[in-house]
Amino acid sequence: MNKKIQIARLLRKEQTKAEKKLWRYLRNRNFENLKFRRQHPLKEYIVDFFCEEYGIVIELDGEYHNEINQAKKDELRDLHLTELGYIVIRFENKVVFEQVDVLFQAIENAKKKQHEFSIARKQQLKKRSNIRKNHLSPTLSSSRGSKTVLSTKILTPSQKELLLNSGIGFVEYNALEFEFLDIAIPPDYSNLIFTSKNAVKAFLRQSDDSNVLNFHAYCVGEKTKSFLEEKGLKVVKMAQNASELGHFIVKNHRNERFIFLSGNQRRLELPELLEKNNIRYKEVQVYNTHLRPKKFNRVFDGVLFFSPSGIRSCLQENEIGNSWAFCIGATTSLEAKKHTSQIIIANKPTVENVLVQVIKHFKQHD
């Protein structure tokens, strides 16, 4: 099956609330008798909604489209499609819920502008139909030698697209389950240490949004830093691992007090380093990590690991054998070394970089 078709089908199953609502208006020619398709492959893209007859593309944007890099990609994509004769209508998700009439008016205007496109397109589709009647379509054969990996966490649609675009199949599941605890966080600390995004989520469940500006955050990982800043907290220091963060605190903030918000599976490096250097801190366990072992009766070319706990969970019921272990960081790789020597570590501690390592490795060893 064509890779883009695979991705499109996957995205249809994971539509946003805004996409689902708009689809109810557009499906079955409900609006202006226009036939729309959802999550449709178009050139090298997959567009949210597409009317082939008039060349109308509708894109609904979530918050991440406001990020500078993504906004630039969207602009280039829209420019390319426009140069090819399509007309692109782009709105934020909230428009579907708050001002859907504005979106409808934009579609009507696009239909009028694309009148000439529609005439040419109808002729093209008629010609294509005649050709298909006279020729047999070739059978699509599956590619040989394709690789399949196991991800120990559920990936986002864009992350899945990275793998599928590279011809890599995958199986995914959540090897871990998180339980947030209703524990009071001492109010007399302004310096907070986070070594995971889950600790941030647990903290926010207990905090008043108006008070977050009073805290200074010290964290591990770029994703945790971005999440903290998104929620309005000031990040003083972001480190790649807990040991690096601990050394920074010892060197630069020795006389300050900290609260370390942790989970039950946290490692010992950071608290041991703080205690050794007489840093005043209080540790509060704000969430529990539960292992979710699951048996897989097959062999994978690679397994994607995102934490030491994820490795322990996965390998309770499975053996890694000759599969490659792709690890999000050095700490995770230390756990992996207990089970295999075939380890590749991400250059940055992000899910996306783990996927990049998977793609690079299997391209080189195809």
Short mmCIF file of all heavy atoms in Angstrom, two decimals, residues 249-291:
data_model
loop_
_atom_site.label_atom_id
_atom_site.label_comp_id
_atom_site.label_asym_id
_atom_site.label_seq_id
_atom_site.Cartn_x
_atom_site.Cartn_y
_atom_site.Cartn_z
N ILE A 249 23.17 23.27 40.00
CA ILE A 249 22.63 23.80 41.26
C ILE A 249 23.71 23.94 42.31
O ILE A 249 23.81 24.96 43.01
CB ILE A 249 21.48 22.90 41.76
CG1 ILE A 249 20.26 23.01 40.81
CG2 ILE A 249 21.08 23.26 43.19
CD1 ILE A 249 19.15 22.03 41.11
N VAL A 250 24.55 22.91 42.42
CA VAL A 250 25.63 22.94 43.41
C VAL A 250 26.58 24.11 43.15
O VAL A 250 27.01 24.81 44.07
CB VAL A 250 26.40 21.60 43.39
CG1 VAL A 250 27.69 21.70 44.21
CG2 VAL A 250 25.53 20.47 43.91
N LYS A 251 26.88 24.35 41.89
CA LYS A 251 27.85 25.39 41.53
C LYS A 251 27.27 26.80 41.64
O LYS A 251 27.96 27.73 42.08
CB LYS A 251 28.35 25.15 40.11
CG LYS A 251 29.39 26.17 39.64
CD LYS A 251 29.88 25.85 38.24
CE LYS A 251 30.91 26.88 37.77
NZ LYS A 251 31.38 26.60 36.39
N ASN A 252 25.99 26.97 41.26
CA ASN A 252 25.44 28.32 41.10
C ASN A 252 24.38 28.73 42.12
O ASN A 252 24.09 29.93 42.24
CB ASN A 252 24.84 28.45 39.70
CG ASN A 252 25.86 28.27 38.61
OD1 ASN A 252 26.64 29.16 38.31
ND2 ASN A 252 25.86 27.08 38.00
N HIS A 253 23.79 27.77 42.84
CA HIS A 253 22.69 28.10 43.75
C HIS A 253 22.82 27.37 45.08
O HIS A 253 21.83 26.90 45.64
CB HIS A 253 21.35 27.77 43.08
CG HIS A 253 21.12 28.52 41.81
ND1 HIS A 253 20.60 29.79 41.77
CD2 HIS A 253 21.37 28.18 40.52
CE1 HIS A 253 20.51 30.21 40.50
NE2 HIS A 253 20.99 29.25 39.73
N ARG A 254 24.02 27.30 45.57
CA ARG A 254 24.30 26.52 46.78
C ARG A 254 23.52 27.01 48.00
O ARG A 254 23.16 26.22 48.88
CB ARG A 254 25.82 26.58 47.06
CG ARG A 254 26.25 25.84 48.31
CD ARG A 254 27.74 25.90 48.49
NE ARG A 254 28.43 25.10 47.50
CZ ARG A 254 28.63 23.78 47.63
NH1 ARG A 254 28.16 23.14 48.69
NH2 ARG A 254 29.28 23.12 46.69
N ASN A 255 23.24 28.30 48.07
CA ASN A 255 22.63 28.87 49.27
C ASN A 255 21.11 28.96 49.20
O ASN A 255 20.48 29.54 50.10
CB ASN A 255 23.22 30.26 49.53
CG ASN A 255 24.71 30.20 49.82
OD1 ASN A 255 25.18 29.28 50.49
ND2 ASN A 255 25.46 31.17 49.31
N GLU A 256 20.52 28.40 48.17
CA GLU A 256 19.07 28.48 48.02
C GLU A 256 18.41 27.16 48.43
O GLU A 256 19.07 26.14 48.56
CB GLU A 256 18.71 28.85 46.58
CG GLU A 256 19.24 30.22 46.17
CD GLU A 256 18.79 30.61 44.78
OE1 GLU A 256 17.63 30.34 44.42
OE2 GLU A 256 19.62 31.17 44.03
N ARG A 257 17.08 27.24 48.63
CA ARG A 257 16.31 26.05 49.01
C ARG A 257 15.48 25.58 47.82
O ARG A 257 14.97 26.38 47.04
CB ARG A 257 15.37 26.35 50.17
CG ARG A 257 16.06 26.74 51.47
CD ARG A 257 15.07 26.71 52.61
NE ARG A 257 13.84 27.41 52.28
CZ ARG A 257 12.66 27.13 52.83
NH1 ARG A 257 12.56 26.15 53.71
NH2 ARG A 257 11.58 27.81 52.49
N PHE A 258 15.32 24.26 47.72
CA PHE A 258 14.62 23.68 46.59
C PHE A 258 13.59 22.65 47.05
O PHE A 258 13.74 22.05 48.12
CB PHE A 258 15.60 22.97 45.64
CG PHE A 258 16.58 23.89 44.99
CD1 PHE A 258 17.76 24.26 45.65
CD2 PHE A 258 16.34 24.41 43.73
CE1 PHE A 258 18.67 25.11 45.06
CE2 PHE A 258 17.26 25.26 43.12
CZ PHE A 258 18.43 25.60 43.79
N ILE A 259 12.60 22.45 46.19
CA ILE A 259 11.70 21.32 46.36
C ILE A 259 11.80 20.46 45.10
O ILE A 259 11.73 20.97 43.98
CB ILE A 259 10.25 21.77 46.63
CG1 ILE A 259 9.38 20.55 46.94
CG2 ILE A 259 9.67 22.57 45.49
CD1 ILE A 259 8.04 20.91 47.56
N PHE A 260 12.05 19.19 45.28
CA PHE A 260 12.23 18.25 44.18
C PHE A 260 10.95 17.43 44.04
O PHE A 260 10.61 16.63 44.91
CB PHE A 260 13.44 17.35 44.49
CG PHE A 260 13.67 16.24 43.48
CD1 PHE A 260 13.24 16.34 42.17
CD2 PHE A 260 14.34 15.08 43.87
CE1 PHE A 260 13.45 15.32 41.27
CE2 PHE A 260 14.56 14.05 42.97
CZ PHE A 260 14.12 14.17 41.67
N LEU A 261 10.21 17.66 42.96
CA LEU A 261 8.95 16.96 42.70
C LEU A 261 9.26 15.73 41.86
O LEU A 261 9.70 15.84 40.71
CB LEU A 261 7.97 17.89 41.98
CG LEU A 261 7.68 19.20 42.75
CD1 LEU A 261 6.75 20.09 41.95
CD2 LEU A 261 7.08 18.90 44.11
N SER A 262 9.02 14.55 42.41
CA SER A 262 9.51 13.32 41.79
C SER A 262 8.42 12.27 41.67
O SER A 262 7.30 12.43 42.16
CB SER A 262 10.67 12.75 42.61
OG SER A 262 10.20 12.34 43.90
N GLY A 263 8.79 11.17 40.99
CA GLY A 263 7.94 9.99 40.90
C GLY A 263 8.57 8.84 41.65
O GLY A 263 9.73 8.91 42.08
N ASN A 264 7.83 7.77 41.80
CA ASN A 264 8.32 6.64 42.60
C ASN A 264 9.45 5.87 41.93
O ASN A 264 10.15 5.10 42.58
CB ASN A 264 7.17 5.67 42.93
CG ASN A 264 6.58 5.04 41.69
OD1 ASN A 264 6.40 5.69 40.66
ND2 ASN A 264 6.26 3.76 41.76
N GLN A 265 9.66 6.08 40.63
CA GLN A 265 10.72 5.36 39.92
C GLN A 265 11.94 6.24 39.66
O GLN A 265 12.80 5.87 38.87
CB GLN A 265 10.16 4.84 38.58
CG GLN A 265 9.01 3.87 38.69
CD GLN A 265 9.47 2.47 39.04
OE1 GLN A 265 10.64 2.15 38.97
NE2 GLN A 265 8.53 1.61 39.41
N ARG A 266 12.01 7.38 40.31
CA ARG A 266 13.13 8.30 40.04
C ARG A 266 14.46 7.67 40.42
O ARG A 266 14.57 6.84 41.31
CB ARG A 266 12.90 9.62 40.75
CG ARG A 266 12.99 9.53 42.28
CD ARG A 266 14.27 10.14 42.77
NE ARG A 266 14.32 10.23 44.23
CZ ARG A 266 14.95 9.36 44.99
NH1 ARG A 266 15.53 8.30 44.45
NH2 ARG A 266 15.00 9.52 46.31
N ARG A 267 15.51 8.09 39.70
CA ARG A 267 16.84 7.55 39.95
C ARG A 267 17.51 8.29 41.11
O ARG A 267 17.01 9.33 41.59
CB ARG A 267 17.68 7.64 38.68
CG ARG A 267 17.16 6.73 37.58
CD ARG A 267 17.95 6.92 36.29
NE ARG A 267 19.35 6.54 36.45
CZ ARG A 267 19.81 5.30 36.35
NH1 ARG A 267 18.98 4.29 36.10
NH2 ARG A 267 21.09 5.04 36.48
N LEU A 268 18.67 7.78 41.56
CA LEU A 268 19.31 8.28 42.77
C LEU A 268 20.31 9.41 42.54
O LEU A 268 20.69 10.09 43.49
CB LEU A 268 20.02 7.14 43.49
CG LEU A 268 19.13 5.99 44.00
CD1 LEU A 268 20.00 4.85 44.52
CD2 LEU A 268 18.19 6.49 45.10
N GLU A 269 20.76 9.60 41.27
CA GLU A 269 21.87 10.52 41.04
C GLU A 269 21.63 11.92 41.61
O GLU A 269 22.50 12.47 42.30
CB GLU A 269 22.15 10.65 39.52
CG GLU A 269 22.75 9.43 38.89
CD GLU A 269 21.70 8.51 38.29
OE1 GLU A 269 20.53 8.61 38.71
OE2 GLU A 269 22.05 7.73 37.42
N LEU A 270 20.47 12.49 41.31
CA LEU A 270 20.22 13.88 41.72
C LEU A 270 20.12 14.03 43.24
O LEU A 270 20.84 14.87 43.82
CB LEU A 270 18.97 14.42 41.03
CG LEU A 270 18.60 15.85 41.37
CD1 LEU A 270 19.73 16.81 41.03
CD2 LEU A 270 17.32 16.26 40.64
N PRO A 271 19.27 13.26 43.93
CA PRO A 271 19.20 13.45 45.40
C PRO A 271 20.52 13.15 46.10
O PRO A 271 20.88 13.83 47.07
CB PRO A 271 18.09 12.48 45.84
CG PRO A 271 17.88 11.56 44.70
CD PRO A 271 18.25 12.30 43.47
N GLU A 272 21.26 12.17 45.61
CA GLU A 272 22.56 11.86 46.23
C GLU A 272 23.54 13.02 46.06
O GLU A 272 24.29 13.36 46.99
CB GLU A 272 23.14 10.58 45.64
CG GLU A 272 22.43 9.32 46.11
CD GLU A 272 23.05 8.06 45.56
OE1 GLU A 272 23.91 8.16 44.65
OE2 GLU A 272 22.69 6.96 46.03
N LEU A 273 23.52 13.63 44.88
CA LEU A 273 24.42 14.75 44.61
C LEU A 273 24.06 15.97 45.48
O LEU A 273 24.94 16.64 46.03
CB LEU A 273 24.34 15.12 43.13
CG LEU A 273 25.29 16.21 42.62
CD1 LEU A 273 26.74 15.81 42.85
CD2 LEU A 273 25.03 16.47 41.14
N LEU A 274 22.77 16.23 45.62
CA LEU A 274 22.33 17.36 46.44
C LEU A 274 22.68 17.14 47.91
O LEU A 274 23.15 18.07 48.59
CB LEU A 274 20.82 17.57 46.28
CG LEU A 274 20.33 17.95 44.87
CD1 LEU A 274 18.81 18.09 44.86
CD2 LEU A 274 20.99 19.22 44.37
N GLU A 275 22.46 15.92 48.39
CA GLU A 275 22.77 15.63 49.80
C GLU A 275 24.28 15.70 50.07
O GLU A 275 24.71 16.24 51.08
CB GLU A 275 22.24 14.23 50.15
CG GLU A 275 20.72 14.17 50.24
CD GLU A 275 20.21 12.76 50.48
OE1 GLU A 275 21.05 11.88 50.78
OE2 GLU A 275 18.99 12.54 50.34
N LYS A 276 25.05 15.17 49.14
CA LYS A 276 26.51 15.17 49.30
C LYS A 276 27.06 16.58 49.43
O LYS A 276 28.04 16.83 50.14
CB LYS A 276 27.14 14.46 48.12
CG LYS A 276 28.66 14.39 48.16
CD LYS A 276 29.21 13.67 46.93
CE LYS A 276 30.73 13.65 46.93
NZ LYS A 276 31.26 12.98 45.71
N ASN A 277 26.42 17.52 48.73
CA ASN A 277 26.91 18.90 48.73
C ASN A 277 26.10 19.82 49.66
O ASN A 277 26.19 21.05 49.56
CB ASN A 277 26.89 19.45 47.31
CG ASN A 277 27.95 18.82 46.44
OD1 ASN A 277 29.09 19.24 46.43
ND2 ASN A 277 27.56 17.76 45.71
N ASN A 278 25.32 19.21 50.53
CA ASN A 278 24.56 19.94 51.56
C ASN A 278 23.62 21.00 50.98
O ASN A 278 23.46 22.09 51.55
CB ASN A 278 25.54 20.60 52.55
CG ASN A 278 26.39 19.59 53.29
OD1 ASN A 278 25.88 18.57 53.76
ND2 ASN A 278 27.69 19.85 53.39
N ILE A 279 23.02 20.68 49.86
CA ILE A 279 22.01 21.56 49.29
C ILE A 279 20.70 21.34 50.05
O ILE A 279 20.26 20.20 50.25
CB ILE A 279 21.80 21.27 47.79
CG1 ILE A 279 23.11 21.46 47.02
CG2 ILE A 279 20.70 22.16 47.23
CD1 ILE A 279 23.66 22.86 47.04
N ARG A 280 20.09 22.42 50.49
CA ARG A 280 18.83 22.30 51.23
C ARG A 280 17.68 22.04 50.25
O ARG A 280 17.38 22.89 49.41
CB ARG A 280 18.57 23.58 52.01
CG ARG A 280 19.54 23.81 53.18
CD ARG A 280 19.26 25.12 53.87
NE ARG A 280 19.47 26.25 52.96
CZ ARG A 280 19.01 27.48 53.17
NH1 ARG A 280 18.29 27.74 54.25
NH2 ARG A 280 19.25 28.45 52.31
N TYR A 281 17.09 20.87 50.39
CA TYR A 281 15.98 20.53 49.49
C TYR A 281 15.02 19.59 50.19
O TYR A 281 15.37 18.89 51.14
CB TYR A 281 16.49 19.90 48.19
CG TYR A 281 16.80 18.42 48.30
CD1 TYR A 281 15.88 17.47 47.84
CD2 TYR A 281 18.00 17.97 48.85
CE1 TYR A 281 16.16 16.12 47.93
CE2 TYR A 281 18.28 16.63 48.94
CZ TYR A 281 17.35 15.70 48.49
OH TYR A 281 17.62 14.36 48.59
N LYS A 282 13.79 19.58 49.71
CA LYS A 282 12.77 18.66 50.20
C LYS A 282 12.22 17.91 48.99
O LYS A 282 11.88 18.52 47.97
CB LYS A 282 11.65 19.41 50.90
CG LYS A 282 10.53 18.52 51.44
CD LYS A 282 9.47 19.36 52.13
CE LYS A 282 8.35 18.48 52.69
NZ LYS A 282 8.83 17.59 53.77
N GLU A 283 12.16 16.60 49.08
CA GLU A 283 11.60 15.80 47.98
C GLU A 283 10.15 15.44 48.28
O GLU A 283 9.82 15.00 49.38
CB GLU A 283 12.41 14.52 47.78
CG GLU A 283 11.88 13.69 46.61
CD GLU A 283 12.75 12.48 46.29
OE1 GLU A 283 13.78 12.27 46.99
OE2 GLU A 283 12.40 11.75 45.35
N VAL A 284 9.29 15.66 47.29
CA VAL A 284 7.88 15.31 47.40
C VAL A 284 7.52 14.42 46.22
O VAL A 284 7.68 14.81 45.06
CB VAL A 284 6.97 16.56 47.40
CG1 VAL A 284 5.50 16.15 47.48
CG2 VAL A 284 7.32 17.47 48.56
N GLN A 285 7.05 13.23 46.53
CA GLN A 285 6.62 12.31 45.45
C GLN A 285 5.21 12.70 45.02
O GLN A 285 4.27 12.62 45.80
CB GLN A 285 6.64 10.87 45.95
CG GLN A 285 6.30 9.85 44.86
CD GLN A 285 6.31 8.43 45.38
OE1 GLN A 285 7.19 8.06 46.15
NE2 GLN A 285 5.34 7.64 44.96
N VAL A 286 5.08 13.09 43.76
CA VAL A 286 3.80 13.62 43.28
C VAL A 286 3.10 12.70 42.28
O VAL A 286 1.95 12.95 41.89
CB VAL A 286 3.98 15.03 42.66
CG1 VAL A 286 4.34 16.04 43.72
CG2 VAL A 286 5.04 15.00 41.56
N TYR A 287 3.79 11.64 41.84
CA TYR A 287 3.13 10.68 40.96
C TYR A 287 3.79 9.31 41.06
O TYR A 287 4.94 9.20 41.49
CB TYR A 287 3.13 11.17 39.50
CG TYR A 287 4.47 11.12 38.80
CD1 TYR A 287 4.85 10.05 38.00
CD2 TYR A 287 5.38 12.19 38.92
CE1 TYR A 287 6.08 10.02 37.35
CE2 TYR A 287 6.60 12.17 38.28
CZ TYR A 287 6.94 11.07 37.48
OH TYR A 287 8.15 11.04 36.85
N ASN A 288 3.04 8.30 40.69
CA ASN A 288 3.55 6.93 40.65
C ASN A 288 3.60 6.44 39.21
O ASN A 288 2.70 6.73 38.41
CB ASN A 288 2.65 5.98 41.45
CG ASN A 288 2.81 6.17 42.95
OD1 ASN A 288 3.89 6.52 43.42
ND2 ASN A 288 1.73 5.96 43.69
N THR A 289 4.64 5.71 38.90
CA THR A 289 4.78 5.08 37.59
C THR A 289 4.51 3.59 37.75
O THR A 289 5.16 2.92 38.56
CB THR A 289 6.20 5.28 37.02
OG1 THR A 289 6.46 6.68 36.91
CG2 THR A 289 6.32 4.63 35.65
N HIS A 290 3.54 3.07 37.01
CA HIS A 290 3.20 1.65 37.07
C HIS A 290 3.61 0.97 35.76
O HIS A 290 3.34 1.49 34.66
CB HIS A 290 1.69 1.46 37.28
CG HIS A 290 1.18 2.10 38.54
ND1 HIS A 290 1.47 1.61 39.80
CD2 HIS A 290 0.40 3.19 38.73
CE1 HIS A 290 0.88 2.37 40.71
NE2 HIS A 290 0.24 3.34 40.09
N LEU A 291 4.27 -0.17 35.90
CA LEU A 291 4.67 -0.93 34.72
C LEU A 291 3.46 -1.63 34.12
O LEU A 291 2.60 -2.12 34.84
CB LEU A 291 5.74 -1.96 35.08
CG LEU A 291 6.98 -1.46 35.84
CD1 LEU A 291 8.01 -2.58 35.96
CD2 LEU A 291 7.59 -0.24 35.17
#
